[in-house]
Amino acid sequence: MKSTAHAFKANANRALKDDQLQQALAKAKDGFVLKRAKAFEHYPEFERLREHGKRIKDHTLAHLDHYLERFEEQVKARGGHVHWAETEQEAREIIVGICRKHKARSVTKGKTMAGEEVSLNEAIEEAGIEAVETDLGEYIIQLAKEPPSHIIAPAVHKTRQQISELFDTHHHKGALKAKLREVPELVNEARGVLRSKFLASDVGITGANFLVAETGSMFLVTNEGNGDLTHTLPPVHIAIAGIEKLVPRMEDASALLRLLARSATGQDASCYTTMVTGPKREGDPDGPEEFHIVLLDNGRTRMLGNQFREMLRCIRCGACMNHCPVYSAIGGHAYGWVYPGPMGSVLTPMFVGLDGTKDLPNACTLNGRCQSVCPVKIPLPSLLRDLRQQQFEAGLVGKSTRWGLGIWGFFARRPGLYHWASGLGMRLLGRLGRRRGRFSSLPMAGAWTGSRDFPAPQGKTFHQLWKQRKESGQ
């Protein structure tokens, strides 16, 4: 997927003016947040489990080379094939090569963000092979020829009416007299169309939520069961996953599964949690005859060696974006690449480059909600601040920003002068705004006052008020 993150501001402005998008986001917003809050309300061990999940991922990342080799040994011992993809191009070539080797004409796919990351659908279709998404959300956006706007709810930006029109166009060539309106009608129609695709598929491609080093197993989590049909019905199963999906033991995967479902959808457990260990064995009633796992690097080992290593703890639950006021206002497409929201604002510059994504780390109020809900305690605000610092040091910010930060830095390094100057500014603004109590416009604050008033200061700085309260014993 070609990044349009360089056009973030234009994308965001367009999203804010899109009435149908705003309608869809409004409906989705509270659902995720309230369900997660309710799930953790009845789970007092949540904080302890978060810390446990963080330790599992930190330990794995510290010994990643060892566990990757262990995983490869176990997969091969059970008859599977392991492929290493350093880049997205290599991942595409490996997967298309396997499909061609088996003369595949049709491929069914479960939802995989790693697959989105390497533009897998485009590569398969360029090879003359039909690729069919089987997750309902992914199927909808495939019909719409759009990328996902959320990592667990890819069609969250679509209204029911838009989906109904898509189905009419693609399933009935626009000839349906009574369009489908209710959710069960839409789901049943998609199920009927996809059933024939499942049965005709030559290769099934999925992602993997976790990879277990001690057994060579992978976990697949869905709420629709499409992942199970994708990996069991075709004769060949290919899974693609980032190398950070590894955990040492089965009980580690179990602990992270408890965090994943509650953080993502507020469920105690997803409807379908499947463990896959190699291809079909003698006596098995079903399963693929061949099993391939593609381990994707694509910049991850580079992150292991710098301060962004903590981002590799991410288990792709989407909680950070569900609680982000910026994502809630503009949706996922405005971010311009595969991963939206706070986690995407860190990952996209890592994978695509900081030069073409410089607005993403700044699309954040630093309110800290993303960090407080992250199931593996990723310090997202700190990582975004680190990216901002890198931008400044690399000269990627505008002149006005550099001058402003330079002036602020001059005063910040001289606390006495800073307190005097800020006190003078607060007294001046306090007097100017005393009558109305707010400003409708201010120099160098047009982005703020363009949509809301700026409250007039009361005449004292935060430090002065803090000192005053402390002295009065409040």
Side-chain angles (χ1 to χ4, degrees), residues 135 146 349 384:
D135 172 271
E146 294 176 0
L384 291 168

Side-chain angles (χ1 to χ4, degrees), residues 187-408:
V187 171
N188 284 336
E189 172 146 310
R191 183 180 289 134
V193 171
L194 289 174
R195 183 171 293 128
S196 61
K197 301 294 184 183
F198 280 124
L199 295 172
S201 175
D202 301 302
V203 174
I205 300 176
T206 69
N209 294 93
F210 301 107
L211 307 173
V212 184
E214 69 173 359
T215 61
S217 306
M218 57 165 270
F219 276 90
L220 196 58
V221 175
T222 72
N223 273 323
E224 300 169 17
N226 64 300
D228 295 331
L229 293 173
T230 300
H231 88 78
T232 56
L233 290 180
V236 180
H237 175 207
I238 306 171
I240 176 172
I243 55 176
E244 81 282 10
K245 292 294 184 76
L246 211 66
V247 295
R249 304 168 304 167
M250 198 63 76
E251 51 261 49
D252 298 325
S254 174
L256 292 172
L257 282 168
R258 281 184 281 162
L259 281 170
L260 177 62
R262 289 179 172 87
S263 300
T265 54
Q267 296 167 284
D268 291 339
S270 298
C271 295
Y272 299 88
T273 300
T274 305
M275 185 178 69
V276 179
T277 307
K280 178 182 177 181
R281 290 156 295 194
E282 188 175 348
D284 284 350
D286 53 32
E289 294 162 10
E290 278 192 25
F291 170 70
H292 298 260
I293 175 83
V294 180
L295 297 172
L296 178 66
D297 185 332
N298 203 28
R300 287 163 172 82
T301 50
R302 188 171 60 244
M303 293 172 67
L304 273 175
N306 58 36
Q307 70 267 45
F308 299 101
R309 176 189 189 132
E310 295 189 90
M311 194 63 228
L312 295 175
R313 290 203 300 266
C314 181
I315 59 174
R316 306 290 193 268
C317 68
C320 62
M321 59 191 72
N322 296 339
H323 292 76
C324 174
V326 177
Y327 178 90
S328 299
I330 60 175
H333 287 165
Y335 290 83
W337 201 56
V338 176
Y339 301 110
M343 52 89 79
S345 294
V346 177
L347 282 177
T348 305
M350 293 291 102
F351 292 155
V352 176
L354 192 55
D355 192 20
T357 59
K358 59 185 180 183
D359 286 325
L360 299 186
N362 299 292
C364 173
T365 64
L366 299 179
N367 62 56
R369 290 187 77 193
C370 51
Q371 181 175 346
S372 68
V373 299
C374 176
V376 285
K377 296 190 170 183
I378 298 173
L380 287 157
S382 298
L383 298 180
L384 291 168
R385 277 194 291 268
D386 287 343
L387 285 170
R388 293 180 185 184
Q389 184 176 344
Q390 287 190 4
Q391 285 180 333
F392 185 81
E393 291 170 351
L396 296 176
V397 298
K399 286 183 180 178
S400 58
T401 303
R402 294 187 70 82
W403 289 346
L405 287 172
I407 293 170
W408 183 86

Side-chain angles (χ1 to χ4, degrees), residues 42-60:
H42 303 290
Y43 196 66
E45 301 90 353
F46 172 51
E47 282 303 320
R48 190 156 51 89
L49 188 59
R50 281 180 79 206
E51 186 58 35
H52 183 48
K54 175 180 179 294
R55 285 200 301 271
I56 291 171
K57 297 295 286 186
D58 282 343
H59 170 81
T60 311

Side-chain angles (χ1 to χ4, degrees), residues 9-296:
K9 289 180 180 175
N11 294 343
N13 280 325
R14 197 162 44 247
L16 289 169
K17 295 172 183 172
D18 186 332
D19 291 337
Q20 288 193 315
L21 173 64
Q22 294 301 318
Q23 182 186 343
L25 289 174
K27 283 188 176 177
K29 181 182 173 183
D30 288 340
F32 285 126
V33 173
L34 295 178
K35 286 176 182 174
R36 178 194 172 278
K38 192 174 179 182
F40 284 106
E41 185 180 305
H42 303 290
Y43 196 66
E45 301 90 353
F46 172 51
E47 282 303 320
R48 190 156 51 89
L49 188 59
R50 281 180 79 206
E51 186 58 35
H52 183 48
K54 175 180 179 294
R55 285 200 301 271
I56 291 171
K57 297 295 286 186
D58 282 343
H59 170 81
T60 311
L61 293 172
H63 305 87
L64 190 58
D65 52 349
H66 165 73
Y67 289 120
L68 283 169
E69 289 178 2
R70 176 73 170 152
F71 177 75
E72 182 180 29
E73 289 171 4
Q74 295 301 311
V75 172
K76 288 181 175 177
R78 287 161 174 77
H81 303 270
V82 178
H83 306 268
W84 302 87
E86 186 176 349
T87 64
E88 56 183 87
Q89 178 67 25
E90 286 185 11
R92 289 194 294 265
E93 289 173 358
I94 291 167
I95 293 173
V96 170
I98 296 169
C99 293
R100 281 178 169 157
K101 178 185 171 188
H102 290 275
K103 297 181 171 46
R105 291 177 299 175
S106 175
V107 168
T108 45
K109 285 182 71 247
K111 188 160 70 64
T112 158
M113 296 311 295
E116 296 285 348
E117 189 180 317
V118 304
S119 303
L120 191 53
N121 277 6
E122 291 86 339
I124 292 171
E125 288 167 0
E126 283 174 10
I129 303 168
E130 182 189 32
V132 181
E133 295 287 354
T134 61
D135 172 271
L136 181 56
E138 289 281 353
Y139 177 67
I140 290 167
I141 61 170
Q142 187 181 30
L143 295 182
K145 300 187 186 308
E146 294 176 0
S149 64
H150 191 289
I151 62 171
I152 65 166
V156 70
H157 59 288
K158 289 290 185 192
T159 62
R160 197 188 313 173
Q161 182 181 351
Q162 288 176 312
I163 297 168
S164 175
E165 289 169 359
L166 273 173
F167 281 13
D168 182 28
T169 301
H170 290 272
H171 298 164
H172 306 281
K173 301 187 182 305
L176 198 62
K177 292 182 180 177
K179 290 184 180 174
L180 306 174
R181 297 294 181 197
E182 301 302 320
V183 173
E185 292 176 328
L186 295 166
V187 171
N188 284 336
E189 172 146 310
R191 183 180 289 134
V193 171
L194 289 174
R195 183 171 293 128
S196 61
K197 301 294 184 183
F198 280 124
L199 295 172
S201 175
D202 301 302
V203 174
I205 300 176
T206 69
N209 294 93
F210 301 107
L211 307 173
V212 184
E214 69 173 359
T215 61
S217 306
M218 57 165 270
F219 276 90
L220 196 58
V221 175
T222 72
N223 273 323
E224 300 169 17
N226 64 300
D228 295 331
L229 293 173
T230 300
H231 88 78
T232 56
L233 290 180
V236 180
H237 175 207
I238 306 171
I240 176 172
I243 55 176
E244 81 282 10
K245 292 294 184 76
L246 211 66
V247 295
R249 304 168 304 167
M250 198 63 76
E251 51 261 49
D252 298 325
S254 174
L256 292 172
L257 282 168
R258 281 184 281 162
L259 281 170
L260 177 62
R262 289 179 172 87
S263 300
T265 54
Q267 296 167 284
D268 291 339
S270 298
C271 295
Y272 299 88
T273 300
T274 305
M275 185 178 69
V276 179
T277 307
K280 178 182 177 181
R281 290 156 295 194
E282 188 175 348
D284 284 350
D286 53 32
E289 294 162 10
E290 278 192 25
F291 170 70
H292 298 260
I293 175 83
V294 180
L295 297 172
L296 178 66

